[in-house]
Structures are given as C-alpha cells and as structure tokens.
Amino acid sequence: MSWIPFKIGQPKKQIVPKTVERDFEREYGKLQQLEEQTKRLQKDMKKSTDADLAMSKSAVKISLDLLSNPLCEQDQDFLNMVTALDTAMKRMDAFNQEKVNQIQKTVIEPLKKFGSVFPSLNMAVKRREQALQDYRRLQAKVEKYEEKEKTGPVLAKLHQAREELRPVRDDFEAKNKQLLDEMPRFYSSRLDYFQPSFESLIRAQVVYYSEMHKIFGDLTQQLAQPGRPDEQRERENEARLSELRALSIVADD
C-alpha cells in the first residue's frame, strides 16, 4: 500500500501524506488479522463439535457392544451394570447433540456470516489501490507538462492532463476517506457482534456439563458394588491373567 519512491511513473509530489498512509495500513492490518482469527476460530469450533459428536457416538457404540457380549447373558449383575451404562451413554449423546446444535446455530454460523463480509472489504481496498495508482500516474503526467516550456501545445496538454486528474483524484479521496472512516467502525463492531455468541457458547457448555454431572451421578448410584481402588483392580486383573497364562492352550512352546 505504501508509496514507493523512485518508481517509474511516480509523481514527485507526495499526493498521500505518510501519516494517512500509515493510518490506512494500520487499520487494514487489524482487519486482515481479524479475518484470519475469524477463519481459525470457525475451523477450530467445527473440529471441536465434530470431536464431541464422535466421542459420544463412540461411547454409545461401546455400550451397545458390551450389551451384545456373551457375559451379559451369564451374569445378571453385569447385565444390569451395562444396561445402566448404555442408558447413561444414550442420555449423554442426546444432550451432546443438543449442545452441538446450539453451538452450530449461535457460534459457528455467526462466525461464518461475519467472515463472509471480508471479500467485499478486500475488494474495496483493491479498488482504492487502483484509484491511487491512477491518481499517481496522472499526477506524474501533470508534473511532466508543468516542467516543460510553456508553449501553446504544452499548455493545452497541461490543461487536458489537469482535467483528467481532477475526477481521478476526487475518486481516490472519496474511496480513501470512506475506508478510513469505516474500517475502525467495522473493527470495533466485532465486540457487539461476537459477545452474544460467546455467551451462548459458555451457557451451552455449562448446561451440558451440569447434565453430565447428573447422568454420571445417577449411574454411580446404580452400580451394584462400590468402586474399588485402581491398585486393587490391577492386582486382581494380574492374578486372573496369570491364571489364564497357566492354561496349556496358551502356554509357550
């Protein structure tokens, strides 16, 4: 965006103050960063909801696989435990689906809509840049005739060049002013736009995990026997594994 000195076809006159150009680049740079952050957040939110759904679907699949295990036919207590687990997993999956739908509607879709405005913004910046190049080109043309000897033909060409310059200069100044006025307003609007979405995200997570606390609290109460320490369970599993290894059909040759 910045003016490049000594470039062929560039005017000697500084047609855009350096402070104005710096202001423009600063404001546009903030919007470019906002665009990238919006894209990244939308992508991460989509990955998160997809992972959530995959987790709860897998949990339901595991509980169904356990229900079809022959052990459930032989041990009523185990069947009751797995049935309680299956009920809990299905409840979890239902609440997870509600949470994901809420996030999709109140967070991901607004992010997508917000990101859709950036192509128009970037096109407006490109039009401003093209207007600036036209402005510089015609300003250089005017300066060329101003430096020549003031003969009749030269004065006529100088007058024509100035007439060509005027609407191009006005067009650039209008585009430049509009962008300098509206880019900061657009950047500031992100707060009011996204705050309801992020509040909705937090509420959805609070509701979901509150329900999970209830679901697994109910599941804990339905367990036939109190939980055993991990160390005790590991010792029991190792003892059973040793018994299995002692069988001739699995013994090493």
Side-chain angles (χ1 to χ4, degrees):
M1 300 283 180
S2 299
W3 175 63
I4 304 174
F6 312 119
K7 186 177 179 180
I8 297 175
Q10 294 294 325
K12 296 178 181 179
K13 177 182 177 182
Q14 182 72 47
I15 60 177
V16 182
K18 291 183 178 180
T19 54
V20 172
E21 196 67 8
R22 282 197 297 267
D23 289 344
F24 182 88
E25 292 178 352
R26 182 187 65 249
E27 295 301 328
Y28 186 46
K30 288 160 62 176
L31 292 181
Q32 287 178 305
Q33 185 180 37
L34 178 60
E35 179 181 16
E36 179 59 32
Q37 291 171 339
T38 301
K39 289 179 180 178
R40 185 165 60 248
L41 182 57
Q42 180 186 344
K43 183 178 180 180
D44 290 344
M45 288 301 305
K46 184 65 168 60
K47 284 183 178 180
S48 175
T49 53
D50 287 347
D52 282 350
L53 285 177
M55 177 274 297
S56 62
K57 297 298 182 187
S58 294
V60 171
K61 178 66 166 55
I62 290 172
S63 66
L64 289 174
D65 289 345
L66 288 172
L67 278 175
S68 64
N69 191 296
L71 285 174
C72 288
E73 300 176 2
Q74 303 170 9
D75 189 327
Q76 185 61 43
D77 289 339
F78 184 67
L79 174 61
N80 293 340
M81 185 183 299
V82 173
T83 300
L85 174 66
D86 182 61
T87 300
M89 295 302 96
K90 288 176 179 176
R91 290 174 63 194
M92 178 184 71
D93 184 48
F95 279 112
N96 194 34
Q97 185 65 64
E98 289 183 12
K99 180 193 69 173
V100 168
N101 291 343
Q102 181 73 6
I103 292 174
Q104 177 68 34
K105 182 173 66 175
T106 62
V107 182
I108 297 178
E109 285 300 324
L111 280 169
K112 185 177 179 180
K113 290 177 181 178
F114 189 82
S116 68
V117 305
F118 285 101
S120 296
L121 168 66
N122 293 330
M123 184 57 65
V125 171
K126 288 181 180 180
R127 287 194 292 266
R128 182 256 189 196
E129 179 65 16
Q130 184 57 56
L132 176 57
Q133 295 305 320
D134 292 341
Y135 182 12
R136 286 171 172 164
R137 177 177 55 80
L138 290 173
Q139 178 64 36
K141 184 177 180 180
V142 167
E143 291 176 2
K144 182 183 71 173
Y145 289 122
E146 287 177 338
E147 293 172 355
K148 289 181 177 291
E149 183 180 354
K150 299 303 187 291
T151 63
V154 168
L155 289 174
K157 291 180 179 179
L158 175 60
H159 175 75
Q160 181 180 357
R162 286 172 174 170
E163 289 298 311
E164 292 176 0
L165 173 64
R166 186 178 298 109
V168 172
R169 179 187 60 218
D170 293 345
D171 179 55
F172 166 75
E173 291 178 349
K175 286 180 169 62
N176 189 60
K177 182 178 185 304
Q178 182 181 31
L179 283 167
L180 284 174
D181 288 344
E182 294 185 1
M183 285 193 299
R185 288 162 51 193
F186 179 84
Y187 186 75
S188 298
S189 72
R190 76 198 190 284
L191 300 176
D192 293 335
Y193 183 86
F194 284 123
Q195 184 172 342
S197 292
F198 295 147
E199 289 177 352
S200 178
L201 173 63
I202 294 171
R203 284 195 297 270
Q205 297 285 11
V206 169
V207 169
Y208 173 74
Y209 286 106
S210 296
E211 292 297 335
M212 292 307 99
H213 179 74
K214 295 177 184 177
I215 289 172
F216 285 96
D218 293 343
L219 179 60
T220 299
Q221 294 178 2
Q222 295 177 61
L223 293 179
Q225 52 185 318
R228 288 167 291 175
D230 290 341
E231 294 81 1
Q232 180 183 347
R233 186 176 291 106
E234 288 177 5
R235 287 195 299 270
E236 293 175 355
N237 286 342
E238 284 296 328
R240 294 188 181 99
L241 184 60
S242 295
E243 294 175 1
L244 292 174
R245 286 171 175 165
L247 297 174
S248 60
I249 59 175
V250 295
D252 293 334
D253 293 336

